[in-house]
Amino acid sequence: MPSNQVFSHVTAAVLLGLPLPLAVECDARVHVTALEGGRAPRRSGVAGYSTTGHPPVRQVRGLRVLAPADAWCSLAGRLQHDDLVAAGDRLVGLPSPLASFDEIDRAIARHGNRAGAANLRRARADLRANSYSRPETLARLALLRAGLPEAEPNGVIELRSGRRTRGDLVFRTYKVLVEYDGEHHRLDLGQWTTDVTRLNDLAADGWLVIRATKRMALADLVTRAERALRDRGWTR
């Protein structure tokens, strides 16, 4: 690959670990962008693009890749709103951020009026720090869209036992918590034991915990969260 070409779009997102819908992630093509007005590559199995600019580039396992914020911007014409927000939340999320909000804003400015510019601006308004997973983001957006108060992603909770823990989606004012249980929580005995102790400590401190799985419909989660919040005194 010539020195003025970099991996971008879906390929960059996968290399950087940005979460994508399965149908997009399984795109078998290699996405490559030519910088500084270079000619977009045209060959079998390659989706080629070109740009007159020179966006920042990172090395990922020895490969030249658009910097995380610019890679996210390159997805704007391909992803629906919630999917774009979920990928963007990873930029500023856990376990460690890939970009700052300032870097995201500069990348959006570099993107200019290219395809998906309006999508980027809408998604930027919904990005939140400290998200840990795509399901958390999709749940947060569904809860907001239903008119519920905004949950705090992975907020730190101080327990009376002296322990500090994080909750996936924390409604701190009402002491309501949405927790996602992945497969590893069920299959790993050590993790399961830790989870039980943690949930008991939360219950002892008066937290109402709603446990969600990947098989739970978002509509069901919204109904359960709304009922819990109302039980704790929330009104529209």
Side-chain angles (χ1 to χ4, degrees), residues 38-209:
R39 179 175 297 179
R42 292 286 183 264
R43 63 180 63 185
S44 177
V46 174
Y49 315 84
S50 65
T51 179
T52 56
H54 191 79
V57 175
R58 299 288 183 270
Q59 291 281 330
V60 178
R61 297 193 292 277
L63 303 174
R64 295 189 305 280
V65 180
L66 279 181
D70 291 86
W72 176 68
C73 289
S74 71
L75 300 169
R78 181 77 181 268
L79 300 183
Q80 298 296 319
H81 177 79
D82 287 11
D83 296 323
L84 191 58
V85 174
D89 270 3
R90 176 62 194 94
L91 295 177
V92 291
L94 301 174
S96 59
L98 301 177
S100 66
F101 281 107
D102 284 345
E103 288 172 322
I104 292 170
D105 290 338
R106 290 195 293 270
I108 292 173
R110 281 191 292 272
H111 190 84
N113 293 319
R114 294 197 291 273
N119 298 341
L120 285 176
R121 291 191 292 271
R122 285 193 294 269
R124 169 62 179 85
D126 281 339
L127 298 188
R128 298 293 183 271
N130 295 328
S131 180
Y132 194 80
S133 70
R134 172 179 158 83
E136 287 177 19
T137 295
L138 298 182
R140 175 175 65 81
L141 294 174
L143 294 168
L144 268 177
R145 200 168 287 133
L148 274 60
E150 181 159 2
E152 180 185 343
N154 286 281
V156 175
I157 298 171
E158 301 276 356
L159 297 171
R160 285 183 297 177
S161 64
R163 294 182 59 212
R164 299 171 81 246
T165 187
R166 285 184 182 270
D168 291 346
L169 293 171
V170 179
F171 297 92
R172 192 176 300 277
T173 301
Y174 305 98
K175 299 192 82 168
V176 171
L177 173 62
V178 174
E179 286 281 286
Y180 265 92
D181 289 345
E183 286 294 304
H184 69 286
H185 290 265
R186 181 175 59 85
L187 299 175
D188 185 321
L189 179 59
Q191 180 66 56
W192 181 73
T193 302
T194 299
D195 288 345
V196 169
T197 300
R198 175 174 168 274
L199 290 172
N200 284 338
D201 285 346
L202 285 163
D205 274 20
W207 284 85
L208 200 165
V209 181

Side-chain angles (χ1 to χ4, degrees), residues 2-6 32-42 48-55:
S3 60
N4 72 327
Q5 293 181 3
V6 298
V32 177
T33 292
L35 307 179
E36 298 180 319
R39 179 175 297 179
R42 292 286 183 264
Y49 315 84
S50 65
T51 179
T52 56
H54 191 79

